[in-house]
């Protein structure tokens, strides 16, 4: 190929029998990364759809009286719908990774996925948690108002502690794990690219 940025790495690796296993391993990692990403997208879609259906069922079956409860349900569902809509924008970049691409194309796809993941991990996750927390707190008000002050405090306290645990402990660990996987792949492709220039 005449363009340095569009190198056919498979062809070059085939010519270098000593380094070939490393490229096979790298392509295997990309394949696993793609499958894990697509699986995560499907699981998230199914879980959030089932959760939304369950929340709608609760609304219809229990017929809440307070407007705050109805607003809480709407905000909770809105949080999930917005999150799923934004999260599904990762489908195309994951699907477009295939075995016929050059190293530069792999690198571009991985960088695109990394940018979209960062957007999801920062702005969208913040919006999701804010809407979800507000929605749950509004939803709980009707039922907490029927409890004693201690019962309501415990109910809100445990719920908010669980959400804080998710926000400050589980979310950062998941972000770190996702970033580590994609950064490792990007670094490997950059190393291969630098060796061949």
């Amino acid at each position: 190929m005449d363009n340095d940025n569009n190198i056919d790495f498979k062809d070059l690796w085939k010519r270098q029998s000593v380094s070939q296993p490393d490229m096979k391993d790298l392509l295997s990692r990309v394949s696993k990364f793609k499958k894990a990403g697509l699986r995560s997208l499907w699981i998230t879609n199914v879980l959030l759809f089932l959760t939304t259906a369950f929340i709608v069922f609760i609304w219809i079956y229990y017929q809440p009286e307070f407007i705050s409860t109805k607003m809480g349900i709407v905000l909770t569902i809105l949080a999930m719908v917005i999150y799923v809509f934004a999260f599904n924008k990762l489908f195309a970049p994951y699907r477009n990774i295939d075995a016929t691409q050059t190293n530069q194309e792999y690198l571009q796809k991985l960088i695109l996925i990394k940018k979209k993941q960062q957007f999801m991990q920062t702005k969208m996750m913040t919006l999701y948690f804010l809407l979800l927390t507000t929605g749950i707190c509004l939803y709980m008000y009707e039922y907490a108002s029927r409890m004693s002050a201690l019962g309501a405090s415990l109910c809100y306290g445990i719920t908010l502690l669980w959400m804080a645990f998710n926000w400050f402990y589980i979310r950062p660990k998941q972000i770190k794990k996702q970033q580590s996987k994609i950064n490792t792949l990007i670094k490997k492709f950059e190393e291969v690219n630098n060796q061949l220039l």
Side-chain angles (χ1 to χ4, degrees):
M1 297 197 170
D2 50 318
N3 186 352
D4 284 344
N5 291 333
N6 202 13
I7 299 169
D8 185 359
F9 285 91
K10 287 188 180 172
D11 186 47
L12 289 170
W13 283 105
K14 286 176 188 173
R15 291 184 213 158
Q16 296 180 358
S17 57
V18 176
S19 301
Q20 196 168 353
D22 292 335
M23 192 60 187
K24 282 183 181 176
D25 177 57
L26 187 53
L27 293 176
S28 172
R29 285 184 188 190
V30 169
S31 177
K32 286 178 186 174
F33 175 77
K34 175 184 176 177
K35 287 177 186 172
L38 289 172
R39 186 173 43 250
S40 172
L41 283 161
W42 281 110
I43 290 170
T44 301
N45 274 276
V46 169
L47 289 176
L48 288 179
F49 173 78
L50 292 174
T51 304
T52 301
F54 180 70
I55 291 169
V56 170
F57 167 76
I58 289 173
W59 187 349
I60 293 168
Y61 188 77
Y62 288 104
Q63 293 292 313
E65 296 172 14
F66 289 16
I67 190 74
S68 62
T69 310
K70 295 171 186 173
M71 286 171 50
I73 290 171
V74 169
L75 278 177
T76 302
I77 291 172
L78 183 65
M80 289 186 270
V81 168
I82 290 171
Y83 184 80
V84 165
F85 179 75
F87 195 56
N88 284 340
K89 296 202 183 247
L90 281 167
F91 262 121
Y94 276 117
R95 262 198 325 249
N96 291 337
I97 295 174
D98 65 44
T100 62
Q101 294 175 327
T102 63
N103 182 53
Q104 192 63 28
E105 289 171 328
Y106 277 125
L107 198 53
Q108 288 171 353
K109 295 285 187 221
L110 291 172
I111 290 170
L112 176 66
I113 289 171
K114 181 179 177 177
K115 286 179 183 175
K116 287 184 181 278
Q117 277 183 347
Q118 285 174 333
F119 174 75
M120 289 301 301
Q121 293 162 349
T122 54
K123 292 182 173 65
M124 290 312 299
M125 192 59 79
T126 301
L127 178 64
Y128 174 74
F129 262 90
L130 284 172
L131 288 174
L132 190 67
T133 303
T134 306
I136 288 173
C137 288
L138 284 170
Y139 176 80
M140 289 172 48
Y141 177 73
E142 180 175 341
Y143 307 103
S145 67
R146 298 175 188 158
M147 298 177 187
S148 66
L150 178 63
S153 298
L154 277 172
C155 189
Y156 271 103
I158 291 169
T159 302
L160 293 173
L161 271 173
W162 174 248
M163 295 183 99
F165 175 73
N166 277 288
W167 180 258
F168 293 109
Y169 182 74
I170 294 176
R171 185 186 66 92
K173 281 185 84 168
Q174 288 178 331
I175 289 171
K176 190 175 180 182
K177 187 177 174 184
Q178 284 178 341
Q179 286 178 345
S180 174
K181 284 180 184 177
I182 198 159
N183 286 340
T184 300
L185 286 172
I186 289 171
K187 185 179 176 188
K188 293 277 185 192
F189 274 106
E190 285 174 341
E191 285 172 4
V192 171
N193 195 25
N194 290 336
Q195 287 174 4
L196 295 170
L197 291 179

